[in-house]
Amino acid sequence: MGVETAMTANDRPPPVHSQADPEGDDGRLSAPAAARNTGPIIEALRPHVPSAGCVLEIAAGTGQHAVACARAFPALDWQPSDIVPERLASIDAWRAAEGVANMRVAIHLDAAAPDWAYGPVELVMAVNLMHLIPEAAARNVIRGIARALGPGGRFFLYGPFRTGGGFRSEGDARFDASLRRDDPAMGYKDAEWIAAEAAAAGLDPVATIEMPANNLSLVFAKQ
């Protein structure tokens, strides 16, 4: 499955006029982790955003990151995407409730599929994705991002990773074990493996940023 949208990378969304349901039953989903890590993610991302252009957010989930990032970087067009209908509805509900003019309507994008296409864009962001998909899917994500980026474009990846062949905390080891009990193909990826796959796709390492809760932000640039 690929992109299912009539919008192109140069389209802006229509103005946002609707408001959230006063009782809160407006389709918005909320993730505590997103509420906690949004601020640190924005600060880690800040030195790497372009002065203008389009950002593609992969697996945007509830939409909390999308509205916060779009508001933090008003010169950018923020394009959120996901594959789950409920999450796509939540992203658009957050957009409507917050009235962020530079945030686009969410699109269906299966970034784990081979040969997906979108762009070109100046920045791609993915948050808390790699440990939730198999290695082959993660490779497809990285290769697709390399295709989506224009020359010099950046890839910002946040989440939990192994480093140096080991887990960064006992909590990480326990979480990875729980993921693999549910699906042996899932689990933490080595940051070094991510870097090697990025290099094979034509992406150069730019920064490795320590984040709260033993997470990392990995930043790459298209050659």
Side-chain angles (χ1 to χ4, degrees):
M1 299 173 69
V3 179
E4 297 178 0
T5 175
M7 298 184 74
T8 71
N10 295 316
D11 290 333
R12 283 184 173 267
V16 178
H17 297 298
S18 57
Q19 299 295 318
D21 186 298
E23 299 300 322
D25 186 17
D26 60 359
R28 281 181 290 172
L29 303 175
S30 179
R36 289 193 302 269
N37 63 32
T38 294
I41 287 173
I42 288 173
E43 291 312 305
L45 181 61
R46 192 176 300 278
H48 305 287
V49 297
S51 58
C54 180
V55 180
L56 173 64
E57 183 180 354
I58 290 172
T62 63
Q64 289 164 272
H65 290 135
V67 293
C69 289
R71 181 176 289 112
F73 305 111
L76 302 176
D77 288 328
W78 203 272
Q79 177 61 76
S81 68
D82 209 287
I83 61 172
V84 179
E86 184 181 26
R87 293 174 187 165
L88 292 169
S90 176
I91 294 165
D92 288 339
W94 276 102
R95 174 180 176 268
E98 298 293 328
V100 184
N102 62 315
M103 178 176 165
R104 299 179 178 181
V105 173
I107 60 171
H108 181 282
L109 172 61
D110 184 356
D115 301 324
W116 63 272
Y118 189 85
V121 297
E122 284 66 41
L123 174 70
V124 178
M125 183 174 91
V127 171
N128 285 333
L129 173 63
M130 293 300 186
H131 59 295
L132 301 178
I133 58 177
E135 191 172 280
R139 184 177 292 112
N140 287 342
V141 169
I142 294 169
R143 291 176 179 177
I145 287 170
R147 292 191 298 270
L149 289 171
R154 298 291 175 96
F155 169 32
F156 181 91
L157 177 64
Y158 167 91
F161 300 95
R162 291 188 302 256
T163 55
F167 292 100
R168 292 165 55 80
S169 73
E170 292 183 2
D172 285 321
R174 289 193 297 269
F175 184 35
D176 177 80
S178 70
L179 291 171
R180 293 181 189 276
R181 280 195 297 271
D182 292 336
D183 184 345
M186 290 188 183
Y188 282 33
K189 309 298 184 290
D190 290 323
E192 295 84 358
W193 181 86
I194 296 288
E197 290 296 326
L203 302 174
D204 294 328
V206 172
T208 298
I209 306 164
E210 291 283 346
M211 303 293 290
N214 299 305
N215 290 326
L216 292 174
S217 290
L218 308 177
V219 185
F220 302 91
K222 185 164 183 179
Q223 297 168 6

